[in-house]
Amino acid sequence: MIHLLLTAVMAGASAGCAMNPVSGTPDLVFMSESSEVNIGSTNDAKIREKYGVYDNPELQAYVQQIGQKLAEQSHRKNLGYHFTVLDSPEVNAFALPGGYIYITRGIMAYINSEAELAAVLGHEIGHVTARHGVRQHSAATATGMVGAIIGVATGVRVSQDLFNVLGNAMLSGYGREHELESDRLGAEYMARAGYDPQAVIKVIGILKNQEEYEKKTAAAENREARIYHGVFASHPSADKRLQEVVGEADRYKTLSAPYVGRENYLKQIENLSFGTVKKAGVLVGNRYYLPESDLSFDFPKGWSVQPALTSLTTVSMASNDQQARLQLDIHDLDKDVTPDEFLKRHMQLNDLPKGESVKGLSQPSFTTILPMASGFSANETRVTVMHYNNKRLLLQGTAKTPGAFATADRVFLALAGKLRPLKAEEKTAVERRGQGQRLRVIRAVSGDSFATLAKKSTLEKYSEETLRLINDKFPDGEPQAGESIKIIE
Ligand SMILES: [Zn+2]
Protein backbone atom coordinates (compact mmCIF):
# COMPACT_ATOMS: atom_id res chain seq x y z
CA MET A 1 0.00 0.00 0.00
CA ILE A 2 1.42 3.33 1.03
CA HIS A 3 4.76 4.83 1.37
CA LEU A 4 6.48 7.98 1.70
CA LEU A 5 9.81 7.47 3.18
CA LEU A 6 11.33 10.46 4.73
CA THR A 7 14.90 9.72 5.40
CA ALA A 8 17.27 12.03 7.05
CA VAL A 9 20.54 12.44 8.77
CA MET A 10 22.94 9.63 9.35
CA ALA A 11 22.33 10.01 13.04
CA GLY A 12 25.32 8.28 14.51
CA ALA A 13 24.81 5.20 12.44
CA SER A 14 26.78 2.36 13.90
CA ALA A 15 27.95 -0.43 11.68
CA GLY A 16 26.82 -3.89 12.63
CA CYS A 17 24.89 -6.92 11.68
CA ALA A 18 21.62 -6.98 13.60
CA MET A 19 18.95 -9.65 13.70
CA ASN A 20 15.92 -8.79 11.62
CA PRO A 21 13.02 -8.53 14.11
CA VAL A 22 10.57 -10.16 11.68
CA SER A 23 12.55 -12.99 10.11
CA GLY A 24 14.86 -13.66 13.06
CA THR A 25 17.77 -14.01 10.64
CA PRO A 26 20.81 -11.72 10.47
CA ASP A 27 20.16 -8.51 8.64
CA LEU A 28 22.89 -6.48 7.02
CA VAL A 29 21.65 -3.21 8.42
CA PHE A 30 24.23 -0.77 9.59
CA MET A 31 22.21 0.83 12.28
CA SER A 32 21.41 0.23 15.93
CA GLU A 33 17.89 0.47 17.30
CA SER A 34 18.76 3.64 19.19
CA SER A 35 19.99 5.26 15.96
CA GLU A 36 16.74 4.26 14.33
CA VAL A 37 14.74 5.92 17.11
CA ASN A 38 17.01 8.92 16.85
CA ILE A 39 16.25 9.36 13.14
CA GLY A 40 12.56 9.00 13.85
CA SER A 41 12.44 11.54 16.65
CA THR A 42 14.66 14.09 14.88
CA ASN A 43 12.47 14.04 11.81
CA ASP A 44 9.22 13.85 13.73
CA ALA A 45 9.66 17.53 14.60
CA LYS A 46 10.19 18.43 10.93
CA ILE A 47 7.14 16.47 9.80
CA ARG A 48 4.98 18.14 12.43
CA GLU A 49 6.19 21.55 11.39
CA LYS A 50 5.79 20.88 7.71
CA TYR A 51 2.30 19.38 7.69
CA GLY A 52 0.83 20.54 10.97
CA VAL A 53 -0.77 18.24 13.51
CA TYR A 54 -4.54 17.92 13.18
CA ASP A 55 -6.13 19.83 16.03
CA ASN A 56 -8.45 17.27 17.59
CA PRO A 57 -7.08 15.62 20.75
CA GLU A 58 -9.88 13.01 20.87
CA LEU A 59 -9.17 11.85 17.33
CA GLN A 60 -5.41 11.79 18.02
CA ALA A 61 -6.00 9.69 21.14
CA TYR A 62 -8.27 7.31 19.22
CA VAL A 63 -5.70 6.73 16.46
CA GLN A 64 -2.93 6.28 19.04
CA GLN A 65 -5.07 3.72 20.89
CA ILE A 66 -5.84 1.63 17.81
CA GLY A 67 -2.21 1.87 16.65
CA GLN A 68 -0.93 0.83 20.06
CA LYS A 69 -3.29 -2.14 20.17
CA LEU A 70 -1.80 -3.38 16.88
CA ALA A 71 1.80 -2.56 17.86
CA GLU A 72 1.41 -4.75 20.96
CA GLN A 73 0.80 -7.70 18.62
CA SER A 74 3.85 -6.87 16.49
CA HIS A 75 7.38 -8.26 16.24
CA ARG A 76 8.77 -5.19 17.99
CA LYS A 77 6.29 -4.56 20.76
CA ASN A 78 8.87 -2.89 22.98
CA LEU A 79 9.52 0.00 20.65
CA GLY A 80 7.69 3.21 21.70
CA TYR A 81 5.14 3.92 18.95
CA HIS A 82 3.83 7.38 18.13
CA PHE A 83 0.78 7.70 15.89
CA THR A 84 -0.05 11.18 14.62
CA VAL A 85 -2.90 12.52 12.49
CA LEU A 86 -1.49 15.22 10.19
CA ASP A 87 -3.54 18.23 9.11
CA SER A 88 -3.10 17.49 5.43
CA PRO A 89 -5.67 16.94 2.66
CA GLU A 90 -3.27 14.54 0.94
CA VAL A 91 -4.38 10.94 0.88
CA ASN A 92 -1.42 9.34 2.62
CA ALA A 93 0.13 7.48 5.54
CA PHE A 94 3.78 6.77 6.21
CA ALA A 95 6.30 5.66 8.78
CA LEU A 96 9.68 6.88 9.90
CA PRO A 97 12.22 4.43 11.37
CA GLY A 98 11.90 3.86 15.09
CA GLY A 99 8.11 3.76 15.38
CA TYR A 100 6.92 7.18 14.20
CA ILE A 101 3.75 6.70 12.17
CA TYR A 102 1.62 9.32 10.42
CA ILE A 103 -1.81 9.29 8.86
CA THR A 104 -3.38 12.29 7.14
CA ARG A 105 -6.89 13.58 7.79
CA GLY A 106 -7.16 13.33 3.98
CA ILE A 107 -6.98 9.54 4.01
CA MET A 108 -9.18 9.30 7.10
CA ALA A 109 -12.11 10.71 5.11
CA TYR A 110 -11.92 7.69 2.77
CA ILE A 111 -11.77 5.09 5.52
CA ASN A 112 -15.10 3.60 6.61
CA SER A 113 -14.43 1.50 9.70
CA GLU A 114 -12.03 0.94 12.57
CA ALA A 115 -10.86 -2.26 10.85
CA GLU A 116 -9.88 -0.28 7.74
CA LEU A 117 -8.04 2.22 9.93
CA ALA A 118 -6.27 -0.71 11.58
CA ALA A 119 -5.33 -1.99 8.11
CA VAL A 120 -3.58 1.29 7.26
CA LEU A 121 -1.84 1.56 10.65
CA GLY A 122 -0.92 -2.14 10.71
CA HIS A 123 0.71 -1.82 7.31
CA GLU A 124 2.82 1.10 8.52
CA ILE A 125 3.80 -0.81 11.66
CA GLY A 126 4.91 -3.56 9.27
CA HIS A 127 7.36 -1.14 7.62
CA VAL A 128 8.78 -0.32 11.04
CA THR A 129 9.06 -3.89 12.32
CA ALA A 130 10.62 -5.18 9.08
CA ARG A 131 12.97 -2.16 9.13
CA HIS A 132 12.18 -1.14 5.56
CA GLY A 133 12.96 2.49 6.30
CA VAL A 134 16.36 1.60 7.68
CA ARG A 135 17.17 -0.43 4.60
CA GLN A 136 15.96 2.37 2.36
CA HIS A 137 18.06 4.73 4.41
CA SER A 138 21.27 3.28 3.02
CA ALA A 139 19.91 3.52 -0.51
CA ALA A 140 18.88 7.11 0.10
CA THR A 141 22.33 7.91 1.44
CA ALA A 142 23.87 6.52 -1.69
CA THR A 143 21.67 8.55 -3.99
CA GLY A 144 22.16 11.76 -2.05
CA MET A 145 18.59 12.10 -0.88
CA VAL A 146 19.57 12.32 2.74
CA GLY A 147 19.27 15.70 4.28
CA ALA A 148 16.94 17.30 1.82
CA ILE A 149 13.85 16.71 3.90
CA ILE A 150 15.37 18.67 6.72
CA GLY A 151 16.47 21.36 4.36
CA VAL A 152 20.15 20.82 4.79
CA ALA A 153 21.79 20.96 1.43
CA THR A 154 25.29 19.67 1.60
CA GLY A 155 26.56 21.46 -1.43
CA VAL A 156 25.76 21.24 -5.06
CA ARG A 157 25.41 17.52 -5.36
CA VAL A 158 22.86 16.99 -2.65
CA SER A 159 20.76 20.00 -3.40
CA GLN A 160 20.32 18.78 -6.95
CA ASP A 161 16.90 17.50 -6.24
CA LEU A 162 15.63 19.93 -3.70
CA PHE A 163 12.37 20.00 -5.57
CA ASN A 164 11.97 16.38 -6.17
CA VAL A 165 13.25 14.68 -3.10
CA LEU A 166 10.00 14.55 -1.27
CA GLY A 167 7.99 13.80 -4.37
CA ASN A 168 10.26 11.01 -5.51
CA ALA A 169 10.34 9.37 -2.13
CA MET A 170 6.55 9.50 -2.01
CA LEU A 171 6.12 8.07 -5.46
CA SER A 172 8.78 5.42 -5.37
CA GLY A 173 7.72 4.07 -1.99
CA TYR A 174 9.44 0.91 -0.86
CA GLY A 175 8.76 -1.21 -3.91
CA ARG A 176 6.40 -4.09 -4.41
CA GLU A 177 8.12 -6.71 -2.22
CA HIS A 178 8.37 -4.49 0.84
CA GLU A 179 4.79 -3.33 0.36
CA LEU A 180 3.55 -6.90 0.21
CA GLU A 181 5.60 -7.79 3.28
CA SER A 182 3.99 -4.90 5.15
CA ASP A 183 0.54 -5.96 3.98
CA ARG A 184 1.27 -9.46 5.27
CA LEU A 185 2.58 -8.20 8.63
CA GLY A 186 -0.23 -5.67 8.99
CA ALA A 187 -2.81 -8.39 8.31
CA GLU A 188 -1.18 -10.61 10.96
CA TYR A 189 -1.20 -7.86 13.59
CA MET A 190 -4.83 -7.11 12.76
CA ALA A 191 -5.90 -10.73 13.14
CA ARG A 192 -4.07 -11.01 16.47
CA ALA A 193 -5.70 -7.77 17.68
CA GLY A 194 -9.20 -9.03 16.83
CA TYR A 195 -9.84 -7.41 13.43
CA ASP A 196 -10.65 -9.11 10.14
CA PRO A 197 -7.52 -8.95 7.94
CA GLN A 198 -9.76 -8.77 4.85
CA ALA A 199 -10.12 -5.06 5.69
CA VAL A 200 -6.66 -4.69 4.07
CA ILE A 201 -8.14 -5.68 0.69
CA LYS A 202 -11.19 -3.52 1.30
CA VAL A 203 -9.25 -0.34 2.08
CA ILE A 204 -6.78 -0.83 -0.78
CA GLY A 205 -9.79 -1.17 -3.10
CA ILE A 206 -11.23 2.14 -1.87
CA LEU A 207 -7.87 3.84 -2.30
CA LYS A 208 -7.39 2.30 -5.72
CA ASN A 209 -10.70 3.84 -6.83
CA GLN A 210 -9.64 7.15 -5.34
CA GLU A 211 -6.33 6.92 -7.19
CA GLU A 212 -7.87 6.15 -10.56
CA TYR A 213 -10.41 8.92 -10.27
CA GLU A 214 -7.88 11.43 -8.96
CA LYS A 215 -5.43 10.66 -11.76
CA LYS A 216 -8.14 11.28 -14.31
CA THR A 217 -9.25 14.61 -12.86
CA ALA A 218 -5.67 15.76 -12.20
CA ALA A 219 -4.76 15.06 -15.82
CA ALA A 220 -7.82 17.00 -16.99
CA GLU A 221 -6.79 19.92 -14.75
CA ASN A 222 -3.13 19.64 -15.68
CA ARG A 223 -1.95 19.25 -12.08
CA GLU A 224 -0.22 16.65 -9.99
CA ALA A 225 -2.46 13.92 -8.58
CA ARG A 226 -2.99 13.45 -4.85
CA ILE A 227 -2.68 9.75 -4.48
CA TYR A 228 -1.83 7.07 -2.03
CA HIS A 229 1.62 5.81 -2.76
CA GLY A 230 2.18 2.16 -3.11
CA VAL A 231 -1.29 1.17 -4.27
CA PHE A 232 -0.16 -1.22 -6.96
CA ALA A 233 -1.10 -1.50 -10.58
CA SER A 234 -3.85 -4.07 -10.45
CA HIS A 235 -7.09 -3.67 -8.54
CA PRO A 236 -6.89 -5.61 -5.23
CA SER A 237 -9.82 -7.79 -6.30
CA ALA A 238 -7.55 -9.09 -9.09
CA ASP A 239 -4.31 -9.07 -7.11
CA LYS A 240 -3.57 -12.73 -6.33
CA ARG A 241 -0.42 -12.15 -4.30
CA LEU A 242 -2.07 -9.56 -2.11
CA GLN A 243 -5.00 -11.92 -1.51
CA GLU A 244 -2.55 -14.69 -0.63
CA VAL A 245 -0.58 -12.72 1.95
CA VAL A 246 -3.75 -11.40 3.56
CA GLY A 247 -5.38 -14.84 3.50
CA GLU A 248 -2.42 -16.33 5.38
CA ALA A 249 -3.23 -14.08 8.34
CA ASP A 250 -6.46 -16.00 9.01
CA ARG A 251 -4.55 -18.49 11.13
CA TYR A 252 -3.73 -15.75 13.65
CA LYS A 253 -7.38 -14.84 14.19
CA THR A 254 -8.33 -14.69 17.85
CA LEU A 255 -12.03 -13.98 17.37
CA SER A 256 -14.56 -15.93 15.32
CA ALA A 257 -16.46 -12.68 14.72
CA PRO A 258 -13.73 -10.05 14.25
CA TYR A 259 -14.45 -6.44 15.09
CA VAL A 260 -15.37 -4.07 12.26
CA GLY A 261 -16.34 -0.90 14.13
CA ARG A 262 -17.99 1.00 11.31
CA GLU A 263 -20.31 3.15 13.44
CA ASN A 264 -17.61 3.79 16.02
CA TYR A 265 -15.17 4.98 13.38
CA LEU A 266 -17.75 7.23 11.71
CA LYS A 267 -18.52 8.80 15.09
CA GLN A 268 -14.81 9.56 15.54
CA ILE A 269 -14.47 11.39 12.21
CA GLU A 270 -17.68 13.43 12.52
CA ASN A 271 -16.77 17.06 11.74
CA LEU A 272 -13.38 16.16 10.21
CA SER A 273 -11.84 18.90 8.03
CA PHE A 274 -12.06 18.02 4.36
CA GLY A 275 -9.98 19.36 1.49
CA THR A 276 -7.62 22.30 1.56
CA VAL A 277 -7.75 24.79 4.41
CA LYS A 278 -6.50 28.34 4.54
CA LYS A 279 -3.19 27.59 6.17
CA ALA A 280 -1.84 25.93 3.07
CA GLY A 281 -2.57 29.00 0.98
CA VAL A 282 -5.28 29.75 -1.54
CA LEU A 283 -5.10 30.59 -5.22
CA VAL A 284 -7.81 33.06 -6.22
CA GLY A 285 -7.69 34.19 -9.82
CA ASN A 286 -4.07 35.05 -10.46
CA ARG A 287 -3.09 35.78 -6.84
CA TYR A 288 -1.82 33.33 -4.30
CA TYR A 289 -2.67 34.11 -0.67
CA LEU A 290 -0.86 32.83 2.41
CA PRO A 291 -2.91 34.33 5.25
CA GLU A 292 -0.78 32.75 8.01
CA SER A 293 2.27 34.60 6.71
CA ASP A 294 0.32 37.71 5.64
CA LEU A 295 1.78 37.31 2.21
CA SER A 296 0.40 37.30 -1.31
CA PHE A 297 1.98 37.29 -4.74
CA ASP A 298 1.08 37.37 -8.42
CA PHE A 299 0.81 33.76 -9.46
CA PRO A 300 2.72 33.23 -12.71
CA LYS A 301 0.52 32.91 -15.80
CA GLY A 302 0.70 29.44 -17.33
CA TRP A 303 1.83 27.88 -14.05
CA SER A 304 0.06 25.58 -11.55
CA VAL A 305 0.35 24.81 -7.85
CA GLN A 306 1.74 21.33 -7.14
CA PRO A 307 -0.57 20.28 -4.28
CA ALA A 308 1.37 17.11 -3.44
CA LEU A 309 4.48 19.17 -2.69
CA THR A 310 2.77 22.17 -1.12
CA SER A 311 2.49 22.36 2.66
CA LEU A 312 2.23 24.85 5.51
CA THR A 313 5.74 26.11 4.84
CA THR A 314 6.23 25.39 1.15
CA VAL A 315 4.46 26.43 -2.05
CA SER A 316 5.58 24.37 -5.01
CA MET A 317 4.78 25.51 -8.56
CA ALA A 318 5.43 24.15 -12.05
CA SER A 319 4.97 25.61 -15.50
CA ASN A 320 2.13 23.92 -17.37
CA ASP A 321 4.55 22.62 -20.00
CA GLN A 322 6.52 21.02 -17.12
CA GLN A 323 9.71 22.77 -18.26
CA ALA A 324 10.29 24.84 -15.14
CA ARG A 325 9.71 24.65 -11.39
CA LEU A 326 9.67 27.14 -8.59
CA GLN A 327 9.51 26.52 -4.86
CA LEU A 328 8.86 29.03 -2.09
CA ASP A 329 9.86 28.06 1.45
CA ILE A 330 8.82 30.17 4.44
CA HIS A 331 10.73 30.04 7.71
CA ASP A 332 10.93 32.07 10.88
CA LEU A 333 13.53 34.76 10.60
CA ASP A 334 16.73 35.04 12.57
CA LYS A 335 17.42 38.72 11.92
CA ASP A 336 21.12 38.49 12.74
CA VAL A 337 21.72 36.43 9.64
CA THR A 338 21.83 38.39 6.39
CA PRO A 339 20.22 36.87 3.27
CA ASP A 340 23.53 36.03 1.60
CA GLU A 341 25.02 34.63 4.80
CA PHE A 342 21.94 32.44 5.24
CA LEU A 343 22.26 31.18 1.68
CA LYS A 344 25.91 30.24 2.20
CA ARG A 345 25.09 28.31 5.37
CA HIS A 346 21.99 26.69 3.93
CA MET A 347 23.74 25.49 0.80
CA GLN A 348 26.99 24.88 2.63
CA LEU A 349 28.93 26.94 0.15
CA ASN A 350 32.12 28.85 0.92
CA ASP A 351 31.49 31.46 -1.73
CA LEU A 352 28.50 32.73 -3.60
CA PRO A 353 28.41 33.99 -7.17
CA LYS A 354 27.86 37.72 -7.41
CA GLY A 355 24.30 38.66 -6.56
CA GLU A 356 22.03 41.66 -6.05
CA SER A 357 19.02 42.67 -4.02
CA VAL A 358 15.51 42.22 -5.32
CA LYS A 359 14.18 45.34 -6.97
CA GLY A 360 11.19 46.93 -5.31
CA LEU A 361 11.64 45.35 -1.88
CA SER A 362 12.41 47.52 1.14
CA GLN A 363 13.59 44.65 3.34
CA PRO A 364 16.96 42.90 2.98
CA SER A 365 17.16 40.47 0.08
CA PHE A 366 19.70 38.68 -2.07
CA THR A 367 19.32 36.93 -5.39
CA THR A 368 21.79 35.04 -7.54
CA ILE A 369 22.13 32.13 -9.93
CA LEU A 370 23.90 29.04 -8.62
CA PRO A 371 25.52 26.58 -10.99
CA MET A 372 23.64 23.43 -10.05
CA ALA A 373 23.10 20.51 -12.33
CA SER A 374 20.44 17.96 -11.41
CA GLY A 375 18.11 15.39 -12.79
CA PHE A 376 15.63 18.15 -13.46
CA SER A 377 17.45 21.38 -14.13
CA ALA A 378 19.80 22.11 -16.99
CA ASN A 379 22.57 23.58 -14.89
CA GLU A 380 21.32 26.66 -13.14
CA THR A 381 19.15 27.51 -10.17
CA ARG A 382 17.87 30.99 -9.38
CA VAL A 383 18.01 31.35 -5.61
CA THR A 384 16.46 34.31 -3.84
CA VAL A 385 16.40 34.96 -0.10
CA MET A 386 14.16 37.71 1.27
CA HIS A 387 13.33 39.02 4.70
CA TYR A 388 9.62 39.56 4.90
CA ASN A 389 8.22 40.84 8.22
CA ASN A 390 9.31 38.11 10.63
CA LYS A 391 9.80 35.49 7.97
CA ARG A 392 12.62 34.42 5.75
CA LEU A 393 11.51 33.47 2.26
CA LEU A 394 13.62 31.19 0.10
CA LEU A 395 12.73 30.95 -3.59
CA GLN A 396 14.39 28.37 -5.80
CA GLY A 397 13.72 28.15 -9.52
CA THR A 398 15.05 25.70 -12.08
CA ALA A 399 14.25 24.64 -15.63
CA LYS A 400 14.96 21.66 -17.84
CA THR A 401 16.97 23.44 -20.52
CA PRO A 402 19.04 26.65 -20.68
CA GLY A 403 16.43 28.11 -23.04
CA ALA A 404 13.57 27.33 -20.67
CA PHE A 405 15.64 28.74 -17.80
CA ALA A 406 16.10 32.07 -19.53
CA THR A 407 12.33 32.42 -19.96
CA ALA A 408 11.50 31.12 -16.48
CA ASP A 409 14.09 33.33 -14.79
CA ARG A 410 12.01 36.39 -15.66
CA VAL A 411 9.08 34.71 -13.88
CA PHE A 412 11.26 33.92 -10.82
CA LEU A 413 12.42 37.52 -10.52
CA ALA A 414 9.00 39.04 -11.19
CA LEU A 415 7.40 36.94 -8.47
CA ALA A 416 10.04 37.94 -5.93
CA GLY A 417 9.60 41.63 -6.71
CA LYS A 418 5.83 41.66 -6.29
CA LEU A 419 5.27 40.17 -2.85
CA ARG A 420 2.87 42.12 -0.68
CA PRO A 421 0.80 41.74 2.49
CA LEU A 422 -2.91 40.91 2.32
CA LYS A 423 -5.40 43.78 2.31
CA ALA A 424 -7.99 43.69 5.09
CA GLU A 425 -10.84 42.70 2.76
CA GLU A 426 -8.72 40.01 1.15
CA LYS A 427 -7.91 38.58 4.55
CA THR A 428 -11.58 38.26 5.45
CA ALA A 429 -12.49 36.73 2.10
CA VAL A 430 -9.60 34.27 2.11
CA GLU A 431 -10.24 33.26 5.69
CA ARG A 432 -13.91 32.68 5.04
CA ARG A 433 -13.03 30.62 2.02
CA GLY A 434 -10.27 28.88 3.93
CA GLN A 435 -12.37 27.75 6.86
CA GLY A 436 -12.80 24.72 4.77
CA GLN A 437 -15.31 22.00 4.44
CA ARG A 438 -16.33 19.53 7.08
CA LEU A 439 -17.29 15.92 6.92
CA ARG A 440 -20.57 14.96 8.60
CA VAL A 441 -22.28 11.63 8.99
CA ILE A 442 -26.02 11.44 8.32
CA ARG A 443 -28.56 8.60 8.40
CA ALA A 444 -29.80 8.14 4.82
CA VAL A 445 -33.54 8.17 4.30
CA SER A 446 -35.55 6.60 1.54
CA GLY A 447 -35.19 8.63 -1.64
CA ASP A 448 -31.69 9.96 -0.84
CA SER A 449 -29.28 9.65 -3.73
CA PHE A 450 -25.71 10.84 -4.23
CA ALA A 451 -27.06 13.24 -6.86
CA THR A 452 -29.37 14.94 -4.34
CA LEU A 453 -26.75 14.91 -1.56
CA ALA A 454 -24.22 16.39 -3.99
CA LYS A 455 -26.54 19.31 -4.73
CA LYS A 456 -26.59 20.22 -1.04
CA SER A 457 -22.83 19.78 -0.63
CA THR A 458 -20.29 22.63 -0.54
CA LEU A 459 -18.03 20.60 -2.83
CA GLU A 460 -17.40 22.74 -5.89
CA LYS A 461 -16.70 20.03 -8.41
CA TYR A 462 -16.95 16.28 -8.84
CA SER A 463 -19.23 16.34 -5.83
CA GLU A 464 -21.31 13.29 -6.70
CA GLU A 465 -18.22 11.21 -7.52
CA THR A 466 -16.39 12.41 -4.38
CA LEU A 467 -19.32 11.43 -2.16
CA ARG A 468 -19.40 7.99 -3.77
CA LEU A 469 -15.63 7.59 -3.36
CA ILE A 470 -15.54 8.50 0.34
CA ASN A 471 -18.51 6.21 1.01
CA ASP A 472 -17.08 3.20 -0.84
CA LYS A 473 -19.95 3.41 -3.36
CA PHE A 474 -17.90 4.19 -6.45
CA PRO A 475 -18.77 4.20 -9.33
CA ASP A 476 -22.57 3.80 -9.16
CA GLY A 477 -23.70 2.81 -5.66
CA GLU A 478 -26.49 4.71 -3.87
CA PRO A 479 -27.22 5.28 -0.16
CA GLN A 480 -29.56 2.74 1.39
CA ALA A 481 -32.28 3.94 3.75
CA GLY A 482 -31.02 3.74 7.34
CA GLU A 483 -27.36 3.59 6.33
CA SER A 484 -24.76 5.99 7.80
CA ILE A 485 -23.45 8.15 4.97
CA LYS A 486 -20.64 10.71 4.95
CA ILE A 487 -21.47 14.06 3.42
CA ILE A 488 -19.37 17.21 2.97
CA GLU A 489 -20.72 20.53 4.26
ZN1 LIG B 1 3.71 0.69 2.48
Side-chain angles (χ1 to χ4, degrees):
M1 204 150 64
I2 331 180
H3 300 316
L4 152 57
L5 169 67
L6 300 158
T7 38
V9 271
M10 278 291 276
S14 60
C17 189
M19 287 299 192
N20 186 287
V22 169
S23 64
T25 56
D27 209 8
L28 195 67
V29 166
F30 298 100
M31 194 180 295
S32 66
E33 185 162 295
S34 66
S35 298
E36 233 183 298
V37 172
N38 215 336
I39 288 186
S41 69
T42 305
N43 288 282
D44 178 57
K46 318 282 175 190
I47 299 290
R48 287 163 174 267
E49 191 203 337
K50 187 165 178 66
Y51 294 95
V53 173
Y54 186 60
D55 185 14
N56 181 336
E58 291 84 19
L59 189 66
Q60 297 285 357
Y62 173 67
V63 170
Q64 176 69 32
Q65 179 213 328
I66 306 305
Q68 193 56 40
K69 193 154 93 181
L70 294 158
E72 277 162 20
Q73 302 301 327
S74 81
H75 294 86
R76 297 176 82 183
K77 47 172 87 63
N78 296 328
L79 212 56
Y81 287 84
H82 309 265
F83 298 88
T84 305
V85 181
L86 296 177
D87 192 4
S88 164
E90 301 306 320
V91 174
N92 210 352
F94 55 92
L96 290 177
Y100 291 82
I101 291 171
Y102 307 87
I103 180 165
T104 60
R105 64 169 170 78
I107 203 171
M108 292 192 78
Y110 285 82
I111 291 172
N112 292 289
S113 68
E114 187 170 303
E116 289 172 17
L117 172 66
V120 173
L121 299 177
H123 174 95
E124 295 308 323
I125 295 169
H127 282 310
V128 172
T129 57
R131 309 183 93 203
H132 294 153
V134 175
R135 294 190 219 169
Q136 191 102 339
H137 186 270
S138 336
T141 310
T143 55
M145 275 166 50
V146 171
I149 174 64
I150 54 169
V152 176
T154 53
V156 173
R157 219 169 299 152
V158 173
S159 43
Q160 58 184 239
D161 247 349
L162 280 173
F163 296 94
N164 242 340
V165 162
L166 196 52
N168 279 349
M170 289 165 85
L171 293 170
S172 60
Y174 293 104
R176 173 68 162 160
E177 288 310 312
H178 284 181
E179 293 307 330
L180 267 178
E181 185 174 34
S182 283
D183 286 331
R184 177 175 67 78
L185 292 168
E188 176 183 336
Y189 306 154
M190 287 178 75
R192 292 186 189 277
Y195 297 105
D196 185 351
Q198 288 300 319
V200 172
I201 312 250
K202 183 96 172 147
V203 80
I204 297 179
I206 293 166
L207 296 167
K208 183 74 193 165
N209 288 339
Q210 185 272 338
E211 179 194 272
E212 284 174 1
Y213 191 74
E214 171 67 7
K215 276 187 175 163
K216 215 163 54 185
T217 53
E221 294 171 3
N222 207 1
R223 60 171 172 83
E224 234 163 86
R226 298 173 170 181
I227 52 171
Y228 201 31
H229 314 287
V231 172
F232 283 88
S234 52
H235 201 275
S237 58
D239 189 335
K240 288 276 171 294
R241 291 199 61 203
L242 176 66
Q243 290 176 11
E244 262 167 46
V245 300
V246 172
E248 282 168 19
D250 279 350
R251 63 190 144 124
Y252 302 114
K253 274 189 185 165
T254 53
L255 299 176
S256 52
Y259 185 66
V260 177
R262 176 176 162 84
E263 296 303 321
N264 187 34
Y265 179 78
L266 294 178
K267 208 165 69 199
Q268 297 289 340
I269 59 163
E270 172 75 32
N271 210 29
L272 187 75
S273 286
F274 188 84
T276 311
V277 292
K278 64 166 185 186
K279 285 193 263 182
V282 192
L283 181 62
V284 184
N286 69 338
R287 281 204 85 76
Y288 196 86
Y289 298 94
L290 286 147
E292 290 279 287
S293 310
D294 191 21
L295 169 67
S296 89
F297 57 85
D298 275 339
F299 198 82
K301 278 200 193 87
W303 285 59
S304 313
V305 183
Q306 305 291 291
L309 301 176
T310 293
S311 69
L312 293 184
T313 53
T314 301
V315 185
S316 194
M317 298 156 259
S319 61
N320 289 345
D321 61 7
Q322 300 298 320
Q323 290 299 301
R325 295 183 189 178
L326 177 60
Q327 179 171 304
L328 167 65
D329 289 292
I330 304 162
H331 296 288
D332 287 335
L333 177 62
D334 171 2
K335 282 206 171 82
D336 294 341
V337 182
T338 60
D340 54 328
E341 189 52 38
F342 167 79
L343 199 55
K344 266 201 257 180
R345 288 188 202 174
H346 186 71
M347 299 292 182
Q348 298 192 1
L349 298 171
N350 294 326
D351 297 298
L352 286 176
K354 201 169 157 331
E356 55 193 353
S357 29
V358 177
K359 289 183 186 67
L361 274 195
S362 55
Q363 301 189 41
S365 63
F366 180 82
T367 183
T368 190
I369 294 177
L370 297 179
M372 282 187 183
S374 82
F376 182 77
S377 81
N379 51 20
E380 292 172 310
T381 301
R382 162 69 66 180
V383 192
T384 305
V385 180
M386 291 163 284
H387 290 190
Y388 180 84
N389 300 335
N390 288 317
K391 303 285 178 192
R392 173 180 292 111
L393 311 181
L394 171 63
L395 267 168
Q396 299 171 89
T398 59
K400 271 189 178 160
T401 62
F405 184 83
T407 311
D409 196 37
R410 288 195 286 274
V411 173
F412 303 153
L413 285 171
L415 193 153
K418 286 187 181 162
L419 297 167
R420 65 159 171 82
L422 272 71
K423 294 172 188 156
E425 69 270 20
E426 287 172 337
K427 216 167 195 167
T428 325
V430 168
E431 271 169 14
R432 196 175 322 123
R433 195 186 163 106
Q435 266 159 9
Q437 293 150 328
R438 296 274 169 179
L439 185 153
R440 300 211 191 275
V441 180
I442 57 154
R443 186 75 60 187
V445 295
S446 164
D448 275 346
S449 69
F450 284 113
T452 58
L453 294 174
K455 280 207 189 89
K456 288 184 262 176
S457 174
T458 54
L459 289 165
E460 284 167 19
K461 29 185 192 183
Y462 318 121
S463 39
E464 194 174 329
E465 293 85 351
T466 303
L467 291 179
R468 284 208 172 91
L469 285 164
I470 63 174
N471 283 290
D472 190 19
K473 299 277 193 187
F474 193 79
D476 50 16
E478 290 294 353
Q480 304 301 304
E483 192 179 8
S484 296
I485 289 289
K486 298 173 199 159
I487 57 165
I488 304 299
E489 284 186 350

